[in-house]
């Protein structure tokens, strides 16, 4: 039997084992429930405290993280602002440099345009001067030819040559004889005979002149060569060394338009000249023979002294040969000069066209320079291209940082 005391009245009573076990079971369940409730309450309180502490710690960490983030954001924003400022400064300098280059290019273009314009003006002036000179010469020849259409045509060319000679006689040929050939005893006569003398009165050159123009032509004589034989005959009869045909015949002949033509292959010491070369041919032959006279005098002196003159005779012949060669070269150069003038005219015309084309190209280049943009000018510049490529990314980063600040 088991005894149990009442907690209120303190009475003791006995119960069997089964009842005792039942009561003990009830007591244990109640105590367990109570203990469990107490433990649960305590655990809940501990959990609440822990949660509060965890929340406090989390708030502290969040606040610290926020401060750190704000600091980093401020630093990044400052660095970004500095980078953007530097980029803007570099871009501004690049733009200024490009503008300076563009201004320099435009200045160079204007300078080149002015230079080309000046050169073009000089070339045009030179071209116009050459054209003017040629036109004047053509007009003179046309005027002279027109005058030959009168009844006096047979005398006009002779008068022209006579006036030309007399205008320089006193200064160039003070001791010379130049008169019309009036001796027709042999059946024919030339137009003029020229003879020149040295200080001692020794004749050292003589020329038979024949003047021919279109009025002198006949059915059988229309060309210069038709008069060579008669001129050579007159020269020999009047004992003249040279024979010269002053001719206006065959006006379209490139050969005779050279000015001075040596026809010695047909008749010895014979020339055909245009009227404008009447005085020059006299001067050339006269100066050459005057020099030859000096050689002859030296040879005569040497012969008188019984000195071998073979070498001097060779020099004399060499001089005559060189003179003939120089004369031919002079004639060829004159013809070449005429051709070069024609080429120059054609070349100047071409240059003018090219300059006009260059002017158009310069105008197009200037128009393109006006359309130049920064990106076009830096298209093949890696450094500037990279900086332009960074600009969109920088703008996006700036927008994102401003968004984070607003949060």
């Amino acid at each position: 039997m088991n005894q149990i005391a009442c907690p209120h009245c303190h009475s003791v009573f006995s119960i069997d084992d089964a009842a005792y076990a039942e009561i003990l079971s009830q007591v244990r369940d109640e105590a367990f429930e109570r203990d469990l409730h107490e433990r649960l309450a305590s655990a809940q309180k501990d959990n609440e405290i822990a949660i509060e502490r965890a929340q406090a710690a989390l708030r502290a960490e969040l606040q610290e993280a926020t401060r750190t983030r704000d600091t980093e954001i401020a630093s990044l924003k400052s660095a970004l602002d500095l980078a953007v400022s530097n980029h803007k400064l570099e871009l501004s300098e690049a733009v200024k440099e490009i503008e300076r280059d563009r201004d320099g290019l435009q200045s160079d273009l204007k300078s080149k345009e002015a230079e080309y314009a000046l050169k073009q003006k000089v070339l045009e002036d030179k071209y116009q001067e050459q054209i003017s000179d040629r036109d004047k010469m053509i007009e003179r020849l046309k005027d002279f030819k027109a005058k030959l259409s009168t009844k006096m045509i047979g005398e006009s060319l002779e008068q022209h040559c006579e006036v030309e000679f007399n205008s320089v006689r006193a200064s160039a040929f003070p001791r010379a004889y130049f008169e019309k050939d009036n001796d027709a005893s042999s059946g024919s006569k030339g137009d003029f005979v020229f003879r020149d003398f040295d200080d001692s009165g020794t004749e050292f050159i003589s020329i038979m002149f024949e003047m021919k123009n279109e009025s002198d032509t006949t059915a059988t004589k229309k060309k210069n060569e038709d008069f060579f034989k008669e001129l050579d005959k007159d020269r020999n009869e009047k004992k003249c060394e040279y024979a010269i045909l002053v001719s206006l015949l065959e006006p379209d002949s490139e050969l005779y338009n050279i000015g001075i033509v040596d026809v010695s292959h047909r008749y010895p010491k014979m020339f055909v000249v245009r009227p404008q070369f009447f005085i020059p041919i006299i001067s050339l032959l006269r100066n050459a023979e005057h020099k030859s006279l000096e050689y002859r005098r030296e040879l005569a002196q040497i012969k008188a002294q019984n000195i071998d003159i073979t070498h001097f005779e060779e020099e004399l012949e060499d001089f005559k040969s060189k003179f003939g060669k120089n004369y031919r070269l002079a004639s060829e150069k004159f013809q070449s000069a005429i051709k070069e003038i024609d080429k120059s005219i054609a070349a100047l015309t071409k240059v003018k066209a090219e300059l006009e084309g260059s002017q158009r190209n310069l105008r197009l280049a200037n128009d393109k320079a006006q359309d130049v943009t920064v990106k076009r000018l830096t298209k093949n510049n890696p450094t500037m291209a990279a900086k332009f490529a960074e600009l969109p990314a920088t703008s996006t980063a700036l927008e994102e940082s401003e968004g984070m600040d607003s949060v």
Side-chain angles (χ1 to χ4, degrees), residues 133 135-146:
D133 290 342
D135 289 342
K136 289 178 181 178
M137 180 178 292
I138 291 171
E139 288 300 322
R140 285 198 299 269
L141 292 175
K142 286 182 177 179
D143 181 65
F144 182 72
K145 187 175 181 180

Side-chain angles (χ1 to χ4, degrees), residues 4-13 23 27:
I4 298 175
C6 178
H8 300 287
C9 65
H10 303 291
S11 298
V12 178
F13 55 93
I23 292 172
V27 171

